[in-house]
Amino acid sequence: YNPFKGIIIENVTLYDTTNKVIAHFDQFVGNISYRRLLKKEVAIKDLYLEGPLFYLTTDANHKTNLQFLADAFPAQEPAHIGDWVFSVRSIHINNGTFYYNHLPAPYGAKGAFNPLHLCISNLQTSLSLEVLSADTAHLTLHTLSLQEKCGFKLKDLSCQASVGSKASTIRDFALKL
């Protein structure tokens, strides 16, 4: 029996520098390796996001509303903040929503697919990530389903991908529309 198996945080909202919402989570559940905390490593074995909302915007220069995060945490392998190391092995999203808007672009005809203005709902996904080296990672997308406001429905997508600095491969690709 281990009473310290994970952490649950409810109603989390993240804001950008103009105080607009960029993400909200009804529930954020992480199964954490507490032994690794003693080594200043936050190793999340399984991350569960219930009802997340993500808002991504780009301006005329293609700068995103997330740029301040990229500036604050420059890319490193593995992810570091000070002396602390962060990693996530698997992510599970249930009932997610994702909005993307390229602000200068017109919206176009109602009901038509517009990649510059996306509204994805009913997002369900489960994926595993394994970092093999500083420049190579293996991703297993167990399942991905979603619906876009234009009416497009993706019932299930799964695959395995290996991504490296010199080559990338996708195998076991399966798609159901």
Side-chain angles (χ1 to χ4, degrees), residues 15 21 27 41 46-47 56-57 68 70 72 78 86 101 108 111 117-119 131-132 143 146 150 177:
Y15 298 91
V21 174
Q27 191 173 66
E41 295 179 31
D46 296 295
L47 177 62
L56 177 64
T57 59
F68 74 101
F86 294 85
N101 284 304
H117 300 286
L118 297 174
C119 177
V131 176
L132 303 173
T143 184
L146 57 87
C150 70
L177 297 175

Side-chain angles (χ1 to χ4, degrees), residues 132 137-141 157-163 168-174:
L132 303 173
H138 181 75
L139 173 91
T140 300
L141 180 60
L157 170 66
S158 61
C159 67
Q160 293 187 20
S162 293
V163 180
S168 297
T169 60
I170 295 177
R171 64 180 196 274
D172 300 329
F173 185 87

Side-chain angles (χ1 to χ4, degrees), residues 18 20 28 32 37 67 71 79 84 97 106 109 112 114 127 131 151 157 177:
T18 64
K20 291 183 182 174
F28 178 100
I32 297 172
L37 280 175
Q67 187 61 46
D71 294 342
W84 288 81
T97 304
N114 185 341
L127 61 94
V131 176
L157 170 66
L177 297 175

